Amino acid sequence: MRAQEDDPGGRRYGFPRAWWRGVARNRVPGFGRSRIWRSPLRGPWLTAVFGAVLLVGMPVVVGTGLLSYIAYGPQFGQALPAEVGWLRLPGFEWPTRPAWLYRLTQGVHVGLGMVLVPVVLAKLWSVAPKLLDWPPAASLAQVLERLTLLLLVGSVLFEIVTGLLNIQYDYVFGFSFYTAHYFGAWVFLGAFVAHVVIKLPVLVRSLRSRSLRAELRTPRSRTRPEPVDDQLVALDPAEPTVSRRGALALVGGGAALVAVLTVGQSVGGALRSTSLLLPRGRTTGEGANRFPVNRTAWAARVTPASTEGWRLLLRGGPEERRLVIDALRGMPQHTARLPIACVEGWSTTQDWSGVRLRDLAALAGVPEPASAQVRSLEVSGPFDSAVLQRNQVLDPDSLLALRVNGAPLSLDHGYPARVIVPAMPGVHNTKWVSSIEFRRI
Ligand SMILES: Nc1nc2c(c(=O)[nH]1)N[C@H]1C(S)=C(S)[C@@H](COP(=O)(O)O)O[C@H]1N2
Ligand SMILES: [Mo]
């Protein structure tokens, strides 16, 4: 292989051979093929197994993440970051059916993203010696490959850390989570595609080099290193302390543990109490309102006093209308069983009752709105308003809910009235609604 890179004058990449020999001799201690890596398990087959899992899983995590961006409504400038230049995704009207769509896509994005963390860490461990390749830049191809690896490893760790901090509400970084996570995802996607293109042949060859079934039957006493290659396999392997199947069980078990500690937040029911990794879903209400509260009235500075004398303002028609709560209660009521699914991955499904948004649009004098802007009593903050698409206003299950599970909404759940729309990202289901403007554009 290397010979092809030599030119007839005995030079390689324009450098004389003596120069290359000098580089090889003067390597920084610890770099290059060294004997410090002694695990007898490290080798192309094991790396390829982790790689194959990530090859299937990562596109799902990235794809559901990008879908979430579209679900937020980039056409209204409310997907963040709002300005993405040529990284703009094809915008389409996010559907309202099936009602559990966002619950599924976002539950998978957050849940699978977390479940794959042990696999990512195992993969990084398995290729760690490559970090210390010497010479660090032996050929143009190697430099390019290492650059994609830098971007790949850097972006995957960045996405994991920012994603985890976001679901823990821990904004320790001084930049916008959405902006960082979005652009980080594109860096990852580019590097991932390049890496797959470069490595696919090695992946296939390595996977074929051993039988998974045979490995799963091999105990530690019969575990031998893979045949020495020029990269991963230890030159001076230690005695195995665990078999390959043990290592796979450890990583798989880690992933399964994360899954068990996570799924409850999306699946709900009795499993919710097992989702220990999630800070949300701990605060709940009483009776019919006994389900998770993400942001309490107290946190949003909404008090019983701020709802006194409440009226719903309807705008966009020939004249504004103000409705007291009894007027809303006097309108036809509709009940729908719908989930609230938050971008952080948790969700909760309840029976909501109230007035159809499309009935309110008709009442306002805009029976065929192109969109609607909903505002909250909450004076300012990222949740004080949301724009809904036409299909989200007109869906027969889209409600201005006054009640949940048969009882009036509690203040924490948005009393006097909140929006609930099938398949819409949770954040746009505005609580403590003060006005709705039905727009013709
Ligand atoms: N006015 C207002 N509406 C809001 C919020 C809020 O903080 N203020 N939280 C949003 C978010 S992020 C979600 S996921 C849903 C459900 O949150 P909840 O559990 O706090 O009701 O309500 C949304 N509606
Ligand atoms: Mo949310």
Side-chain angles (χ1 to χ4, degrees), residues 232-243:
L232 298 178
V233 180
L235 295 174
D236 180 15
E239 278 302 305
T241 52
V242 62
S243 62

Side-chain angles (χ1 to χ4, degrees), residues 292-295 340 342 346 376 378 383 413 418 426-427 429-432:
V293 182
N294 194 9
R295 192 139 162 277
I340 288 187
C342 181
W346 66 269
S376 170
E378 196 186 339
F383 311 109
H413 283 305
R418 83 172 300 161
V427 62
N429 293 300
T430 304
K431 300 197 279 191
W432 313 296

Side-chain angles (χ1 to χ4, degrees), residues 143-165:
V143 171
L144 289 178
E145 195 205 326
R146 301 201 88 188
L147 192 67
T148 61
L149 287 180
L150 187 74
L151 294 174
L152 186 71
V153 175
S155 62
V156 81
L157 294 178
F158 184 82
E159 293 300 277
I160 288 173
V161 169
T162 51
L164 288 179
L165 287 174

